[in-house]
């Protein structure tokens, strides 16, 4: 593996650059720079062939002494985040098992590297301070269009798949997934969606997928409750029907997955809490197959999530909506009661607020459920 370093990175490593090997394939060659982001040392690698980005964050002096190991770990972890097959990841690493550090190739290559690095700094606030390998961020920034030097533009992630498919001679994406049915709890309306979700996604990413699937706009806070299917018969006086963790079948909530760290200061002592960005679906599925998703604690939109089937060889690394019914109420409509009033007004041209409500619904981007639009959004979603 060839790592072509800026002068600043070479100084940090305190090494003399090696000569570039004559036969170096671009797929196994990266340009690298060191930045200071959030006052932490950050190394960013950009692949020469496809411009895919790999990010190492918060590096200490001792980390630079074992940078070879960290680079390989970062590539492996990031490729797994992409859903790339394990055998292809192993083949990629084994093809170029040692690292050579050299100087950057030329000014054009440095300019392209810097352009690919720009989104990393754009999302500096999204860095996970607890880990060095920023795989979700790499996943995200590698979906930004970049120039290929000929006047055309490419998506680095798509180019990476193409390169690896040509290298390995077979399809590169294979993940474990789950098909779920998500039902919005409304007494007088049928609103539900069926989705296939890769199990390596986090609950934060599931939330983002549900926002697009139900045409929510991510204006408000959210949370999940995970239930133990084996424990039933919880009494109503233990969990009041108005409590967000209440389950009609009496299942016991074992975890409250929250969207903001402030939630830990006012949570229910009887239910453990975790942050949604820090746990993957695979940690709780398939063992726990009942989940509740709550969005907007004011309008209180509650969604029941039921696991239907598991898929061992899903060939995509993004969610797909396979079926659905019903239109989602617009944001800030005032709960189900407000939604009924909204539908009454927009359906009555003689109502004095009809024109105002139509204009408001356009502003809220209220739309009929369209599965093709949903899947286009899901495929292009920049997950964080």
């Amino acid at each position: 593996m060839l790592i072509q370093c800026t002068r600043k990175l070479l100084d940090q490593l305190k090494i003399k650059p090696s000569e570039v090997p004559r036969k170096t394939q671009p797929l196994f060659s990266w340009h690298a720079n060191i930045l200071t982001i959030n006052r932490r040392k950050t190394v960013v690698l950009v692949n020469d062939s496809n411009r895919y980005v790999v990010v190492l964050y918060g590096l200490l002096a001792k980390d630079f002494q074992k940078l070879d190991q960290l680079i390989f770990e970062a590539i492996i972890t990031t490729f797994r985040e992409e859903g790339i097959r394990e055998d292809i990841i192993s083949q990629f690493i084994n093809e170029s098992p040692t690292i050579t550090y050299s100087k950057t190739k030329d000014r054009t290559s440095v300019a392209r590297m810097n352009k690919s690095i720009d989104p990393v700094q754009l999302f500096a606030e999204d860095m996970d301070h607890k880990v060095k390998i920023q795989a979700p961020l790499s996943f995200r920034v590698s979906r930004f269009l970049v120039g290929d030097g000929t006047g055309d533009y490419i998506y680095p992630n798509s180019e990476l798949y193409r390169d690896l498919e040509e290298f390995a001679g077979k399809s590169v994406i294979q993940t474990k997934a789950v098909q779920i049915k998500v039902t919005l709890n409304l007494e007088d309306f049928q609103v539900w969606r069926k989705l296939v979700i890769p199990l390596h996604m986090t609950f934060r990413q599931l939330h983002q997928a549900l926002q697009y699937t139900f045409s929510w706009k991510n204006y408000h806070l959210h949370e999940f409750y995970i239930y133990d299917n084996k424990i039933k018969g919880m009494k109503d006086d233990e969990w009041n029907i108005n409590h967000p963790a209440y389950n009609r079948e009496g299942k016991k909530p074992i975890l409250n997955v929250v969207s903001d760290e402030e939630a830990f200061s006012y949570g229910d002592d009887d239910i453990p809490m975790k942050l949604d960005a820090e746990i993957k679906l695979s940690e709780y599925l398939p063992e726990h197959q009942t989940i509740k998703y709550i969005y907007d604690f004011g309008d209180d939109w509650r969604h029941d999530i039921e696991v239907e089937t598991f898929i061992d060889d899903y060939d995509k690394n993004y969610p797909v909506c396979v079926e659905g019914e019903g239109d989602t109420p617009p944001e800030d409509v005032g709960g189900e009661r407000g939604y009924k009033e909204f539908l009454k007004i927009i359906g009555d041209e003689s109502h004095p607020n009809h024109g105002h409500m139509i204009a408001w619904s356009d502003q809220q981007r209220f739309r009929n459920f369209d599965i093709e639009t949903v899947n286009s959004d899901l495929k292009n979603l920049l997950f964080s």
Side-chain angles (χ1 to χ4, degrees), residues 184 186 189-193 214 325-329 339 366-370:
L184 178 59
L186 298 172
F189 304 92
Q190 291 289 323
V191 182
W192 56 269
R193 310 283 187 262
F214 281 89
E325 178 183 349
D327 301 327
T328 306
Y339 184 42
F366 176 64
R367 67 188 186 192
N368 299 122
F369 170 62
D370 180 78

Side-chain angles (χ1 to χ4, degrees), residues 244-291:
Y246 176 81
N247 177 270
R248 284 170 291 185
E249 298 178 5
K251 295 177 181 178
K252 179 182 178 180
I254 61 162
L255 184 67
N256 183 198
V257 183
V258 298
S259 59
D260 192 284
E261 291 184 352
E262 290 186 10
F264 290 95
S265 62
Y266 55 79
D268 194 317
D269 293 337
D270 294 330
I271 309 175
M273 276 188 172
K274 289 187 178 181
L275 197 62
D276 61 358
E278 296 180 352
I279 53 174
K280 295 182 179 293
L281 302 181
S282 58
E283 296 179 49
Y284 288 92
L285 298 176
E287 183 178 356
H288 303 286
Q289 299 189 15
T290 301
I291 302 171

Side-chain angles (χ1 to χ4, degrees), residues 156-193:
N157 67 308
S158 297
E159 293 298 307
L160 172 67
Y161 309 152
R162 181 186 59 77
D163 284 347
L164 290 177
E165 187 170 334
E166 183 177 324
F167 163 68
K170 54 187 172 183
S171 61
V172 300
I173 303 297
Q174 187 178 72
T175 65
K176 294 184 182 296
V178 60
Q179 180 170 305
I180 58 176
K181 181 177 181 180
V182 188
T183 303
L184 178 59
N185 287 338
L186 298 172
E187 290 186 5
D188 298 322
F189 304 92
Q190 291 289 323
V191 182
W192 56 269
R193 310 283 187 262

Side-chain angles (χ1 to χ4, degrees), residues 230-259:
K230 299 176 183 178
I231 301 179
K232 298 183 179 180
M234 301 289 288
K235 298 178 181 178
D236 286 351
D237 58 359
E238 291 181 81
W239 296 104
N240 185 280
I241 193 171
N242 293 318
H243 192 287
Y246 176 81
N247 177 270
R248 284 170 291 185
E249 298 178 5
K251 295 177 181 178
K252 179 182 178 180
I254 61 162
L255 184 67
N256 183 198
V257 183
V258 298
S259 59

Side-chain angles (χ1 to χ4, degrees), residues 284-348:
Y284 288 92
L285 298 176
E287 183 178 356
H288 303 286
Q289 299 189 15
T290 301
I291 302 171
K292 180 182 287 186
Y293 169 63
I294 303 173
Y295 171 64
D296 184 355
F297 302 155
D299 282 359
D300 197 28
W301 302 116
R302 303 187 183 191
H303 310 67
D304 290 328
I305 301 177
E306 301 175 40
V307 172
E308 293 191 329
T309 58
F310 288 87
I311 303 168
D312 287 330
D313 54 354
Y314 184 53
D315 63 354
K316 297 176 180 61
N317 56 6
Y318 55 86
V320 171
C321 182
V322 295
E323 196 176 349
E325 178 183 349
D327 301 327
T328 306
E331 291 273 6
D332 302 320
V333 76
E336 184 169 5
R337 181 179 298 180
Y339 184 42
K340 290 178 181 177
E341 184 65 18
F342 164 79
L343 293 175
K344 176 182 175 182
I345 294 173
I346 66 170
D348 181 4

